[in-house]
Amino acid sequence: MTCSLFYSTEMPNERAKVFGTPPAKPMRWAVDYVVKTPDGRTVVLGEKTIQRATFEELRAVMAHTIGDEVGNVATFVSWRATAYGGKKRRKGGKRKCS
């Protein structure tokens, strides 16, 4: 199971676009984000891994993280989060035919 979220301040109603099925349990999220400040500076941080957050908690965690990086002044914020995992693969090899 893979779930990806895309959030931008320019999206209608400030809702995240979801690709895949959101996980029911807390998962690790790989996050990339871009922030532009009023002075024209662009802050691009490659990867950040958020430890064990639920789908609902992720937006609050990202708002706090971006606020710590550039303060509460930003003209544009965009981020993409991806969670991998979920179902475990079955142990064992191929089934033998009699």
Side-chain angles (χ1 to χ4, degrees), residues 1 5 25 28 33 41 60 68 76 79-80 82-83 88:
M1 174 211 52
L5 294 162
K25 296 181 180 179
R28 291 179 55 179
Y33 58 95
R41 189 172 54 114
D68 288 346
F76 175 78
W79 52 268
R80 178 179 303 276
T82 306
K88 302 283 183 189

Side-chain angles (χ1 to χ4, degrees), residues 37-85:
T37 57
D39 60 353
R41 189 172 54 114
T42 302
V43 177
V44 180
L45 295 175
E47 289 186 22
K48 181 173 181 67
T49 303
I50 297 173
Q51 298 290 329
R52 313 249 333 141
T54 62
F55 179 74
E56 291 80 20
E57 296 170 338
L58 185 62
R59 186 170 173 184
V61 169
M62 285 305 299
H64 182 68
T65 301
I66 291 171
D68 288 346
E69 290 290 331
V70 295
N72 290 327
V73 292
T75 56
F76 175 78
V77 175
S78 174
W79 52 268
R80 178 179 303 276
T82 306
Y84 301 102

Side-chain angles (χ1 to χ4, degrees), residues 4 7-8 11 14 16 21 23 29 35-36 43 45 57 68 77 95 97:
S4 293
Y7 173 80
S8 174
M11 294 179 77
E14 292 191 17
T21 305
W29 295 87
V35 179
K36 293 184 182 178
V43 177
L45 295 175
E57 296 170 338
D68 288 346
V77 175
R95 295 185 182 181
C97 296

